[in-house]
Amino acid sequence: MRTNRVTIQTVAEKAKVSIKTVSRVINKEKAVRASTRDRVKAVIDELGYKPSPAARALAGHTSKIIGLIYDNPSAAYVLDVQTGVLKSCYSEGYNLLIHPCDHSSDKLAEELISLVQKSRLDGLILTSPICENEELLTKLIESKIKLVNIGALSKNAAVSSVSGNDADVVKQITLDLVEKGHSEIGFVFGHIDHDSAHLRFSGYKQALVEKNIPINQEYIVQGDFSFESGVECGKHLMNLEKMPTAIFASNDYMAAGVLKAARDRHLNIPTDLSIVGYDDAPVSRQIWPSLTTVRQPIQQMSEYAAGLLFKKIIDSTVNTEHQVFNSELIFRESVKQLD
Amino acid sequence: MRTNRVTIQTVAEKAKVSIKTVSRVINKEKAVRASTRDRVKAVIDELGYKPSPAARALAGHTSKIIGLIYDNPSAAYVLDVQTGVLKSCYSEGYNLLIHPCDHSSDKLAEELISLVQKSRLDGLILTSPICENEELLTKLIESKIKLVNIGALSKNAAVSSVSGNDADVVKQITLDLVEKGHSEIGFVFGHIDHDSAHLRFSGYKQALVEKNIPINQEYIVQGDFSFESGVECGKHLMNLEKMPTAIFASNDYMAAGVLKAARDRHLNIPTDLSIVGYDDAPVSRQIWPSLTTVRQPIQQMSEYAAGLLFKKIIDSTVNTEHQVFNSELIFRESVKQLD
DNA sequence: CTGAAAGCGCTTACAG
DNA sequence: CTGAAAGCGCTTACAG
């Protein structure tokens, strides 16, 4: 295997400096004379030198690898998160290890700790509904693992996070329904392990309270973010003596399920029933009528989250930060103004 | 940073052997007495020893990391591929680096070569439509990069692959349409950079030839695998003087688009028009009527592909292999028997 | 079946 | 601003 690999040694010799100086240039350290730096850089380019990650990791006690942990039903969501995180990784010189898992496993803490130790990860990005598990967070923090949450705030002082303004935006969308004449509004609850499910419900409630509309428990149905649960919840709401005139489903899959249930009952959407979803999933545009929904800037959020993690890796005393990203309402065909 | 990390040294001392013997046990080498191996293993467990990947990579000249390269419009597909590949990685002790890219970039070869060199990847898994690019494959192979394709065979003797029986299964599904009384069958072509688009068309043709049905060029429309292209292609076919009675769309997104176009024209599906898709994407179950489609064992294929790559990494003289996986026809509501 | 020595390619900790 | 030495934790190449 003794190909003439170009190492830091080769560069040093050709640039007539010590390997330490080459190391300084690679690591963008300040204390290098500009002319020296330029010379070393030129040699690096000329030789096509790429520092060995293994050697750097071994000597520097940092792998420059982080892990992304997820267990989310939406493929589009997961891919957006990956894309955002990767973007940040590329620009900061980190590599990413993805790790899908079962958020309800009672061995998840051990699984993740073992993952971090085995692959010497510098930190972990946790997504919903994993980052909602405070007990898990505590165990990970006890194991000195650097953490950032995407999608849920933590009470743990060591955990930074990014999240959306779910409550606000659902409040807005509910107010909009009310202003369009709807007062019987069904609510399909998301999977209870997700913070966002509760936040979205709180927005719905806030809007009704503000408009002095009594909250009808019959109109609140428990789903789990799946299409199938949307169908069931939709059926249930349509079987009520007094069916709602509008239904907010806590994500687009469930909204699509409600739409399916409506179709099966030969209801016309939005004439007979208005439907609102959440997430701007591809399906929200691929069904007919297309869904009024909410778009979160998932990629940006994820990119930012990775940045927070890198900061914490470099300086573990950095302040914990909770960044909220605003979502955008997208009005499409599935909502009707009542007369 | 001098925590009392347990290293191979710690294990060796406690087990009263040399570090070389511990190394042998870790690497499952044959030449170790059973009793010695058991003793070392016990110490490893007791101490919770995990070998340093960096040290192994540096000394052993192999990173045990592979890359997964993709540029596919379907999130569900990408995630299935990741899941399958990861499964194999876990069992063989490899780590995975994901790398989304632009398959049409003319700098893709340099980008991938640079990626492999920078992260010292042991090999690459290429998915459609990247692995269709023979020029790219040649460049990668010239750079001594180990390769396996998912989704397309290569003429390059060094590239193993896994793929589906697309032509066969589309032939079957087309024959089924004919047997149900359809002879005017529209065909929505997929993105031409994908081998599968061409294979699916070839299956369609074979079926018509076998049934002595003339191929009507007007019925063949070019899409690009997107929902929007499906809508356009659907409109086009519906505007023909003699509209087809059935349409095969080369994936489910396009089939959903055709369905949307049919809705916009107030056509009833499947009464007025039968529609068939491909991929068993979630949307095929989330629209109404649900789509007759084809399911490929993506996860299994991907897991197998990773296995092929590992074999080639360990022994570069191993034979190139092309493994075909059979797909499954899924009959749902979007197809009608003509009287 | 087992081990001692050298070395993989960097960074750390000093020193100047 | 620059460098010489030691060491990170393994595997390789030998030797026995």
Side-chain angles (χ1 to χ4, degrees):
Chain A
M1 197 43 110
R2 216 62 330 278
T3 54
N4 301 329
R5 256 211 169 293
V6 7
T7 70
I8 198 171
Q9 193 74 49
T10 333
V11 176
E13 283 163 16
K14 185 138 191 174
K16 305 202 186 303
V17 293
S18 71
I19 61 168
K20 178 62 227 191
T21 294
V22 179
S23 172
R24 288 197 176 91
V25 173
I26 297 169
N27 292 299
K28 300 185 176 47
E29 288 175 33
K30 267 284 162 201
V32 181
R33 192 188 306 161
S35 64
T36 312
R37 190 196 349 269
D38 291 347
R39 184 153 39 94
V40 172
K41 273 189 177 166
V43 173
I44 288 178
D45 284 347
E46 186 189 338
L47 262 36
Y49 167 64
K50 324 232 169 179
S52 154
R56 301 182 86 176
L58 183 57
H61 310 287
T62 158
S63 67
K64 293 280 242 172
I65 304 179
I66 62 168
L68 172 64
I69 317 296
Y70 53 84
D71 176 19
N72 196 290
S74 164
Y77 178 86
V78 171
L79 237 51
D80 274 345
V81 171
Q82 289 182 355
T83 306
V85 170
L86 274 177
K87 211 165 158 185
S88 197
C89 283
Y90 286 149
S91 72
E92 300 295 321
Y94 281 79
N95 272 148
L96 178 70
L97 235 55
I98 55 173
H99 188 82
C101 66
D102 172 7
H103 82 278
S104 66
S105 160
D106 54 354
K107 290 191 192 125
L108 188 54
E110 294 92 276
E111 179 183 331
L112 298 185
I113 291 170
S114 167
L115 172 75
V116 168
Q117 292 177 345
K118 225 173 79 178
S119 297
R120 300 293 196 272
L121 303 185
D122 288 341
L124 247 34
I125 297 180
L126 265 30
T127 58
S128 277
I130 293 151
C131 54
E132 275 89 339
N133 185 340
E134 290 285 349
E135 200 184 327
L136 174 71
L137 298 184
T138 306
K139 285 187 192 168
L140 296 178
I141 292 292
E142 275 170 6
S143 296
K144 311 278 182 209
I145 298 174
K146 313 279 170 62
L147 249 39
V148 167
N149 282 359
I150 296 182
L153 275 77
S154 168
K155 284 155 248 168
N156 194 310
V159 182
S160 289
S161 68
V162 301
S163 51
N165 61 339
D166 295 40
D168 274 0
V169 76
V170 174
K171 181 180 174 187
Q172 285 173 46
I173 219 160
T174 309
L175 287 176
D176 178 74
L177 286 173
V178 175
E179 274 150 25
K180 289 202 165 96
H182 297 275
S183 56
E184 280 105 28
I185 305 174
F187 185 91
V188 182
F189 215 101
H191 195 296
I192 51 164
D193 288 350
H194 291 247
D195 257 19
S196 60
H198 300 274
L199 292 172
R200 290 168 199 178
F201 181 59
S202 121
Y204 164 82
K205 272 196 304 193
Q206 284 172 38
L208 295 192
V209 166
E210 187 168 314
K211 290 293 185 176
N212 285 314
I213 298 173
I215 291 171
N216 182 345
Q217 283 300 133
E218 276 195 336
Y219 284 169
I220 299 159
V221 201
Q222 184 66 52
D224 64 5
F225 281 144
S226 73
F227 173 78
E228 290 74 19
S229 76
V231 175
E232 291 312 312
C233 292
K235 275 189 199 163
H236 180 87
L237 289 170
M238 290 164 206
N239 278 332
L240 292 177
E241 202 160 332
K242 186 160 178 55
M243 194 185 111
T245 61
I247 296 177
F248 174 87
S250 294
N251 75 351
D252 288 336
Y253 291 165
M254 295 198 298
V258 172
L259 189 55
K260 163 96 161 84
R263 279 270 151 64
D264 289 348
R265 284 183 87 100
H266 306 291
L267 293 176
N268 184 294
I269 310 295
T271 313
D272 303 326
L273 176 69
S274 290
I275 301 178
V276 176
Y278 202 104
D279 282 346
D280 190 34
V283 73
S284 70
R285 278 157 273 139
Q286 292 167 355
I287 55 183
W288 191 87
S290 57
L291 291 174
T292 285
T293 186
V294 176
R295 182 188 305 156
Q296 299 188 78
I298 306 288
Q299 287 195 21
Q300 284 173 56
M301 290 168 69
S302 308
E303 189 178 347
Y304 193 89
L308 288 179
L309 182 56
F310 300 147
K311 273 200 253 174
K312 187 159 288 183
I313 289 169
I314 292 164
D315 174 11
S316 55
T317 68
V318 82
N319 284 334
T320 294
E321 190 179 326
H322 298 291
Q323 185 70 37
V324 175
F325 285 75
N326 288 330
S327 302
E328 178 190 352
L329 270 70
I330 300 184
F331 294 101
R332 289 199 280 239
E333 307 160 349
S334 63
V335 172
K336 186 200 169 201
Q337 165 100 40
L338 292 189
D339 322 290
Chain B
M1 196 47 111
R2 213 71 318 289
T3 54
N4 300 329
R5 255 211 168 293
V6 6
T7 69
I8 197 170
Q9 193 74 48
T10 332
V11 176
E13 282 163 16
K14 186 141 192 171
K16 303 201 186 305
V17 294
S18 70
I19 61 167
K20 176 64 225 191
T21 295
V22 179
S23 173
R24 287 197 177 92
V25 173
I26 298 169
N27 293 299
K28 299 184 174 49
E29 288 176 32
K30 268 286 163 199
V32 181
R33 194 189 303 160
S35 63
T36 311
R37 187 190 358 262
D38 292 346
R39 185 153 37 93
V40 172
K41 274 189 176 165
V43 174
I44 288 178
D45 285 347
E46 187 189 338
L47 263 34
Y49 168 64
K50 323 232 171 179
S52 155
R56 301 181 86 176
L58 184 57
H61 310 287
T62 157
S63 67
K64 293 279 241 174
I65 304 178
I66 62 168
L68 173 62
I69 317 297
Y70 53 84
D71 176 21
N72 197 289
S74 165
Y77 176 87
V78 170
L79 237 51
D80 274 346
V81 170
Q82 289 181 356
T83 307
V85 170
L86 275 176
K87 211 164 159 184
S88 197
C89 283
Y90 286 148
S91 71
E92 301 295 322
Y94 281 81
N95 273 150
L96 179 69
L97 235 54
I98 54 173
H99 188 82
C101 66
D102 172 6
H103 82 278
S104 66
S105 160
D106 53 355
K107 291 192 191 121
L108 187 55
E110 293 92 278
E111 178 183 333
L112 297 185
I113 291 169
S114 167
L115 171 77
V116 168
Q117 292 177 345
K118 224 172 81 179
S119 296
R120 302 291 196 272
L121 303 184
D122 288 342
L124 248 34
I125 298 180
L126 266 30
T127 58
S128 278
I130 294 152
C131 55
E132 273 90 340
N133 185 340
E134 290 286 348
E135 199 185 326
L136 174 71
L137 299 184
T138 306
K139 285 186 191 166
L140 297 178
I141 291 291
E142 275 170 5
S143 297
K144 312 278 183 209
I145 298 174
K146 312 280 170 64
L147 250 39
V148 167
N149 282 358
I150 296 180
L153 275 78
S154 168
K155 284 156 247 166
N156 194 310
V159 182
S160 288
S161 68
V162 301
S163 51
N165 61 338
D166 295 40
D168 273 2
V169 77
V170 174
K171 180 179 173 185
Q172 285 173 46
I173 220 161
T174 309
L175 287 176
D176 178 73
L177 286 173
V178 174
E179 274 149 25
K180 289 201 166 95
H182 298 274
S183 56
E184 280 106 28
I185 305 174
F187 184 91
V188 183
F189 215 100
H191 195 297
I192 52 165
D193 287 350
H194 290 247
D195 258 20
S196 59
H198 301 274
L199 292 172
R200 289 168 198 179
F201 181 59
S202 120
Y204 164 82
K205 272 196 304 191
Q206 284 172 38
L208 296 193
V209 167
E210 187 168 313
K211 289 294 185 176
N212 285 315
I213 298 173
I215 291 173
N216 181 346
Q217 282 300 133
E218 278 194 335
Y219 284 171
I220 299 159
V221 201
Q222 183 67 51
D224 65 5
F225 281 144
S226 74
F227 173 77
E228 290 73 18
S229 75
V231 176
E232 291 311 310
C233 291
K235 276 187 197 163
H236 181 88
L237 289 170
M238 290 163 205
N239 279 331
L240 292 177
E241 201 159 337
K242 186 161 176 52
M243 193 184 111
T245 61
I247 296 178
F248 173 88
S250 296
N251 75 351
D252 287 336
Y253 291 164
M254 296 198 297
V258 172
L259 190 55
K260 163 95 162 84
R263 280 270 151 66
D264 289 348
R265 283 186 134 302
H266 305 290
L267 293 177
N268 184 294
I269 310 295
T271 315
D272 302 326
L273 175 70
S274 291
I275 301 179
V276 176
Y278 202 104
D279 282 345
D280 191 34
V283 72
S284 70
R285 276 158 275 140
Q286 292 167 355
I287 55 182
W288 191 87
S290 58
L291 292 174
T292 286
T293 186
V294 175
R295 181 187 306 155
Q296 299 187 78
I298 306 290
Q299 287 195 23
Q300 285 175 56
M301 289 169 68
S302 308
E303 189 179 347
Y304 193 89
L308 249 31
L309 182 57
F310 300 147
K311 273 199 253 174
K312 187 159 289 182
I313 289 169
I314 291 164
D315 175 11
S316 54
T317 68
V318 81
N319 284 334
T320 295
E321 190 178 325
H322 298 291
Q323 185 70 36
V324 176
F325 285 75
N326 288 329
S327 302
E328 180 191 349
L329 271 69
I330 301 184
F331 294 100
R332 290 200 278 240
E333 305 160 352
S334 63
V335 171
K336 183 199 168 201
Q337 165 99 41
L338 292 188
D339 322 291

